[in-house]
């Protein structure tokens, strides 16, 4: 079970409007102040909230009332007081839903985000995801990148719970990208923590320092973020470096920070990690003490999922101490609680199905009654409406005819699509076969001939008496011959890389990127996962060509200094991401363009029955995401 669950809320941001009266503008100023200091000075933020409520009630200012209850709902949710959070959020929604302005939409999106968190903490993941997506839609309308960071972050956490690795990683990276474009420290920290949460869940601990250490420098005043970053560094030292001393130091600092800001949920997580360190060092008494403190908090907050893991670990510690009866009692509590949670989940699913059944049954009854009434009315008017009935019959016959025609057109279109796909496959196979043949002919035929000529000329050089000038010309000719042989080999390698055939897709892509890195004009970072097992040869060649074409575009057009090439395979699903920090372009102008390079990429993506998503803005780099299927 994922222990390092991070959920962050970000109540609405209100823009100052020139037409507002002075008193309401002052309320908006206090709201903006709470937003800035809610994580760095929570006591001061609480005082300002009281002033916001008092002033908004006096002015009957709905936007201020919505902001007050929205902030309160976020605070309750962070303390796991979900009923209070839902009540406050309902009150905020009452005031916010009547505001059609951009600021009102931002506030409404924030409330949807809070509902999503409440559903998520209650393990209603489908409802939570729906709320987050509604929030994203509103933020797209208002161009609010900062709040979009939080919706993307929470979506990443949702998909991590259901073990969808690709979407977990995608939404985490989207959150970080939006945060960096916005340039605001707080959302950058939140998005970074989501990335670290992703790395921790999938045991990619070696990636933690590269994100956590720069973020620590930005989190001097953000106490809760700093505590979470130290927690992640503690996990890195403990599970990756086996450095318990540094792990213990980071976790103790995190524990102190969480106690300063009264964040018992985070405190329980750190106590659990400290218990695990002591358990690994056979300090069973200290481990039991930490687990007991965590268990106390989990009991107070009703954190049942976290409690199951703590009971299990505490039982182990007590057994190692020789407290067999205590260990047995704890283990029994663990089994009962774990079974209870499973049963509760099943009961909730049954209740949901029962509700849907009752609703469907009610709708069917209403539909049947309406049909009976309709039939009775039709019988009453059938004699007088015989002519109309005839027209109706003719209309139905015509509609049936047109429906059949549409089905035939659809079938023809499907056959045409299959024909085009088959033609594309044949074309790509022919191209790759021809590339392989030409590469072999160049390397074995022309390459061998040129090498033989070089050897013959080298042998002849010792038998000739040449003037100094002719000697220089002869040496230049040999040098040009060497360059020709090298260029021929480079062309043959690009046409069909030997590493792709012998060593596989991952090594071929790594060699290609290393070759570009050697030029020092562009640094390419690579991440490959799940490619250890070979795929169908045609699929490997197609993926290699897609990556090659995308990287060539970066080299030729992007004017970038750093790029990322990421290929992840999970089962039959395959995702390709190529990002750069270059000049970018207006992505909307890409629609309708059909350049040779773009056509090649689209053809290969269609061959893999995939889709391609391009995101770019002038001056902010480019991100190309391809999601496809391994046809092998």
């Amino acid at each position: 079970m994922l222990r390092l669950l991070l959920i962050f809320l970000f109540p609405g941001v209100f823009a100052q409007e020139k037409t507002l009266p002075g008193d309401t503008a002052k309320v908006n100023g206090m709201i903006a102040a709470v937003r800035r200091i809610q994580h760095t000075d929570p006591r001061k933020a609480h005082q300002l909230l009281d002033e916001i409520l008092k002033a908004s009630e006096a002015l009957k200012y709905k936007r201020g009332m919505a902001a007050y209850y929205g902030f309160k709902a976020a605070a309750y949710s962070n303390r796991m007081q979900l009923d209070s959070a839902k009540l406050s959020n309902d009150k905020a929604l009452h005031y916010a839903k009547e505001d059609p302005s951009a600021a009102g939409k931002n506030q409404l999106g924030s409330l949807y985000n809070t509902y999503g968190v409440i559903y998520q903490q209650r393990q209603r993941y489908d409802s939570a995801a729906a709320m987050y997506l509604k929030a994203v839609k509103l933020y797209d309308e208002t161009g609010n990148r900062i709040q979009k960071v939080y919706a993307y972050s929470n979506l990443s956490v949702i998909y991590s719970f259901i073990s969808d690795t690709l979407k977990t990683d995608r939404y985490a990276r989207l959150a970080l990208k939006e945060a960096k474009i916005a340039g605001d420290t707080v959302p950058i920290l939140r998005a970074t923590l989501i990335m670290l949460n992703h790395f921790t869940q999938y045991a990619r601990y070696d990636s933690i320092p590269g994100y956590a250490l720069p973020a620590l420098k930005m989190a001097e005043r953000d106490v809760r973020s700093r505590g979470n970053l130290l927690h992640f560094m503690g996990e890195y030292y403990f599970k990756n470096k086996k450095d318990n001393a540094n792990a213990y130091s980071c976790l103790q600092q995190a524990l102190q920070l969480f106690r300063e800001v009264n964040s018992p949920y985070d405190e329980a997580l750190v106590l659990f990690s400290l218990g695990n360190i002591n358990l690994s060092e056979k300090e069973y008494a200290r481990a039991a003490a930490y687990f007991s403190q965590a268990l106390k908090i989990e009991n107070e907050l009703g954190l049942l999922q976290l409690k199951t893991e703590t009971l299990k670990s505490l039982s182990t510690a007590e057994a190692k101490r020789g407290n067999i009866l205590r260990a047995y009692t704890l283990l029994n509590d663990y089994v009962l609680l774990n079974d209870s949670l499973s049963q509760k989940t099943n009961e909730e699913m049954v209740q949901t199905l029962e509700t849907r059944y009752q609703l469907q049954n009610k709708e069917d009854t209403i539909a049947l009654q309406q049909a009976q009434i309709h039939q009775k009315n039709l019988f009453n008017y059938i004699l007088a409406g015989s002519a109309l009935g005839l027209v109706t019959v003719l209309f139905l016959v015509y509609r049936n005819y047109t429906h059949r025609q549409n089905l035939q057109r659809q079938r023809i279109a499907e056959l045409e699509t299959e024909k085009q796909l088959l033609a594309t496959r044949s074309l790509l196979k022919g191209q790759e076969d021809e590339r392989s043949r030409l590469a072999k002919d160049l390397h074995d035929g022309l390459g061998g001939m040129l090498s033989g000529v070089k050897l013959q000329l080298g042998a002849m050089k010792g038998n000739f008496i040449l003037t100094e000038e002719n000697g220089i010309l002869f040496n230049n000719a040999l040098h040009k011959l060497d360059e020709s042989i090298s260029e021929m080999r480079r062309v043959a390698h690009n046409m069909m890389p030997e590493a792709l055939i012998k060593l596989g897709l991952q090594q071929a892509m790594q060699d290609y990127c290393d070759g570009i890195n050697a030029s020092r004009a562009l640094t390419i970072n690579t991440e490959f996962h799940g490619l250890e097992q070979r795929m169908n040869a045609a699929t490997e060649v197609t993926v290699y060509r897609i990556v090659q074409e995308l990287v060539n575009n970066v080299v030729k057009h992007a004017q970038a200094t750093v790029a990322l090439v990421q290929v992840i395979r999970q089962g039959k699903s395959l995702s390709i991401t190529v990002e750069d920090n270059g000049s970018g372009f207006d992505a909307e102008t890409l629609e309708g363009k059909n350049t040779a390079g773009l056509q090649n990429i689209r053809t290969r993506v269609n061959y893999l029955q995939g889709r391609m998503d391009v995101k770019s803005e002038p001056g902010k780099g480019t991100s190309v995401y391809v999601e496809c299927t391994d046809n092998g």
Side-chain angles (χ1 to χ4, degrees):
M1 185 185 70
L2 180 65
R3 297 276 309 186
L4 296 178
L5 169 61
L6 299 169
I7 300 174
F8 297 98
L9 303 176
F10 194 72
V13 181
F14 297 98
Q16 292 282 16
E17 299 181 21
K18 296 180 180 179
T19 58
L20 289 175
D23 290 339
T24 53
K26 182 179 178 181
V27 173
N28 282 352
M30 288 191 289
I31 293 169
V34 171
R35 179 181 65 84
R36 288 192 303 270
I37 67 173
Q38 59 180 323
H39 300 293
T40 57
D41 191 352
R43 293 183 179 178
K44 178 64 176 175
H46 183 75
Q47 294 174 0
L48 282 175
L49 281 176
D50 291 339
E51 295 181 27
I52 291 171
L53 176 62
K54 184 177 179 181
S56 298
E57 287 178 339
L59 296 168
K60 296 183 179 179
Y61 184 38
K62 293 183 178 180
R63 190 177 298 175
M65 299 292 290
Y68 169 79
Y69 286 112
F71 277 115
K72 296 293 286 186
Y76 284 132
S77 181
N78 283 336
R79 295 196 296 268
M80 297 296 294
Q81 298 174 352
L82 302 184
D83 291 336
S84 298
K86 176 69 165 55
L87 184 61
S88 291
N89 218 51
D90 290 343
K91 291 181 180 179
L93 184 66
H94 171 74
Y95 293 108
K97 63 184 179 182
E98 299 178 4
D99 188 349
S101 67
K105 289 182 178 180
N106 282 334
Q107 176 65 11
L108 193 59
S110 174
L111 298 177
Y112 286 147
N113 195 56
T114 305
Y115 279 125
V117 171
I118 294 170
Y119 287 136
Q120 181 172 335
Q121 291 170 329
R122 287 175 170 168
Q123 303 175 51
R124 295 172 58 185
Y125 300 133
D126 54 345
S127 300
M131 286 296 172
Y132 295 144
L133 291 172
K134 289 177 71 173
V136 169
K137 182 179 180 181
L138 288 171
Y139 300 148
D140 281 334
E141 292 178 10
T142 63
N144 192 327
R145 293 185 180 277
I146 291 178
Q147 294 214 63
K148 200 187 298 184
V149 169
Y150 298 92
Y152 280 148
S153 297
N154 287 333
L155 280 167
S156 177
V157 173
I158 284 288
Y159 285 109
S160 74
F161 268 107
I162 60 177
S163 300
D164 190 331
T165 312
L166 295 178
K167 289 184 178 179
T168 300
D169 183 81
R170 176 160 173 73
Y171 280 117
R173 293 187 180 279
L174 281 173
L176 189 57
K177 181 178 180 181
E178 293 287 343
K180 288 181 177 179
I181 293 174
D184 191 300
T185 299
V186 174
I188 289 176
L189 288 173
R190 297 299 179 270
T192 300
L193 289 169
I194 289 298
M195 284 297 298
L196 294 172
N197 188 74
H198 173 51
F199 293 148
T200 301
Q201 183 186 10
Y202 296 103
R204 292 167 56 185
Y205 299 107
D206 55 336
S207 300
I208 288 178
Y211 286 83
L213 293 177
L216 274 169
K217 296 179 181 178
M218 300 180 357
E220 290 295 332
R221 298 182 59 197
D222 191 335
V223 178
R224 190 180 183 204
S225 293
R226 187 169 183 81
N228 278 300
L229 290 167
L230 287 168
H231 191 179
F232 280 117
M233 286 303 298
E235 291 291 310
Y236 163 74
Y237 283 123
F238 175 48
K239 295 182 178 177
N240 190 69
K241 304 298 285 185
K242 310 303 179 185
D243 184 352
N244 288 356
N246 273 324
Y248 198 81
S249 174
C250 289
L251 292 174
Q252 284 289 0
Q253 294 178 61
L255 183 62
Q256 181 178 353
L257 292 173
F258 289 140
R259 285 173 174 171
E260 285 181 13
V261 296
N262 188 26
S263 183
Y265 179 84
D266 295 308
E267 183 181 342
L269 295 179
V270 176
L271 289 168
F272 182 83
S273 296
L274 286 166
N276 281 332
I277 292 179
N278 283 281
L279 198 61
S280 71
E281 294 180 339
K282 300 182 180 180
E283 295 287 345
Y284 302 125
R286 293 175 63 183
Y290 281 121
F291 288 139
S292 296
Q293 292 179 58
L295 188 61
K296 181 180 178 182
I297 295 174
E298 290 158 1
N299 283 328
E300 291 174 352
L301 298 181
L303 306 176
L304 300 182
Q305 281 193 322
L306 302 185
K307 183 179 176 180
T308 58
E309 294 296 310
T310 304
L311 284 169
K312 186 177 180 182
S313 298
L314 182 55
S315 173
T316 301
E318 293 292 0
K320 294 292 185 180
R321 296 177 66 193
N323 299 331
I324 303 302
L325 181 59
R326 171 69 171 157
Y328 173 78
T329 302
L330 291 167
L331 186 60
N332 186 58
D333 290 344
Y334 160 74
V335 172
L336 292 175
L337 180 57
N338 193 50
D339 291 345
S340 174
L341 288 176
S342 300
Q343 182 180 0
K344 180 180 179 182
T345 301
N346 293 334
E347 287 175 353
E348 289 175 350
M349 293 178 62
V350 170
Q351 182 63 36
T352 300
L353 292 174
E354 176 67 18
T355 301
R356 291 178 180 176
Y357 168 77
Q358 294 292 347
L359 179 61
Q360 184 64 46
N361 189 38
K362 183 177 179 180
E363 291 175 350
D364 291 343
T365 301
I366 294 173
L368 179 61
Q369 292 174 347
Q370 290 176 341
Q372 291 173 342
I373 294 172
H374 177 71
Q375 184 177 8
K376 183 177 180 180
N377 291 337
L378 181 63
F379 179 78
N380 291 334
Y381 291 106
I382 193 170
L383 294 177
S386 57
L388 180 62
L390 179 61
V391 172
T392 302
V393 170
L394 292 174
F395 171 74
L396 292 175
V397 171
Y398 173 75
R399 187 176 68 175
N400 185 50
Y401 170 74
T402 56
H403 179 64
R404 289 182 178 179
Q405 280 192 323
N406 289 335
L407 289 177
Q408 289 179 342
R409 292 193 193 100
Q410 183 178 353
R411 179 56 182 163
I412 291 172
E414 290 174 354
L415 292 173
E416 188 67 27
T417 301
E418 291 177 4
K419 180 181 177 182
Q420 291 175 356
L421 182 58
L422 181 61
T424 299
R425 289 176 176 173
S426 301
L427 177 62
L428 290 177
K429 186 177 185 303
Q431 287 178 348
E432 296 303 331
D433 290 345
E434 185 65 13
R435 283 174 179 264
S436 298
R437 187 187 68 78
L438 289 174
K440 185 176 181 181
D441 289 347
L442 284 173
H443 188 274
D444 297 342
L446 182 58
M449 293 174 62
L450 291 176
S451 298
V453 171
K454 178 186 174 184
L455 290 174
Q456 291 177 358
L457 289 176
M460 292 171 61
K461 179 180 178 182
N463 299 326
F464 288 140
I465 299 175
L466 301 173
T467 63
E468 181 179 353
E469 181 179 355
N470 287 334
I472 293 173
L473 292 175
F474 192 87
N475 288 332
N476 286 341
L478 287 176
H479 180 67
K480 291 293 184 182
L481 187 56
D482 283 336
E483 290 181 347
S484 299
I485 292 172
S486 297
E487 180 64 16
M488 180 275 300
R489 288 175 176 169
R490 185 189 66 79
V491 171
H493 178 77
N494 283 340
M495 295 185 82
M496 183 53 65
E498 188 174 356
L500 181 60
I501 299 173
K502 294 182 178 181
L503 302 178
L505 176 61
Q506 179 170 336
Q507 188 61 49
M509 291 190 295
Q510 188 64 58
D511 290 348
Y512 177 69
C513 294
D514 289 344
I516 295 177
N517 286 335
S519 68
R520 298 186 178 179
L522 174 66
T523 299
I524 301 181
N525 299 315
T526 59
E527 287 188 24
F528 304 124
H529 302 286
L531 303 181
E532 296 79 9
Q533 185 177 356
R534 296 295 297 267
M535 294 182 285
N536 176 276
T539 301
E540 288 190 341
V541 171
T542 304
V543 172
Y544 178 84
R545 296 299 180 198
I546 291 173
V547 172
Q548 186 182 44
E549 191 69 42
L550 290 173
V551 173
N552 281 340
N553 286 341
V554 175
V555 174
K556 292 178 182 178
H557 308 299
Q559 301 176 355
T561 58
V562 178
L564 168 68
V565 174
Q566 181 190 70
V567 181
I568 298 176
R569 181 188 183 199
Q570 186 180 26
K572 288 290 185 180
S573 297
L574 193 69
S575 71
I576 303 168
T577 303
V578 177
E579 297 181 349
D580 64 75
N581 66 344
S583 56
F585 57 89
D586 186 355
E588 293 182 359
T589 62
L590 194 65
E591 297 296 330
K593 285 192 175 182
N594 201 24
T595 61
L598 188 60
Q599 180 62 27
N600 285 338
I601 296 173
R602 284 174 174 163
T603 299
R604 288 181 167 86
V605 172
N606 290 336
Y607 169 72
L608 295 177
Q609 299 178 4
R611 62 179 184 84
M612 181 171 66
D613 183 22
V614 180
K615 293 187 180 296
S616 182
E617 292 186 24
K620 296 178 180 178
T622 302
S623 174
V624 180
Y625 177 76
V626 176
E627 191 174 37
C628 51
T629 304
D630 174 11
N631 292 317

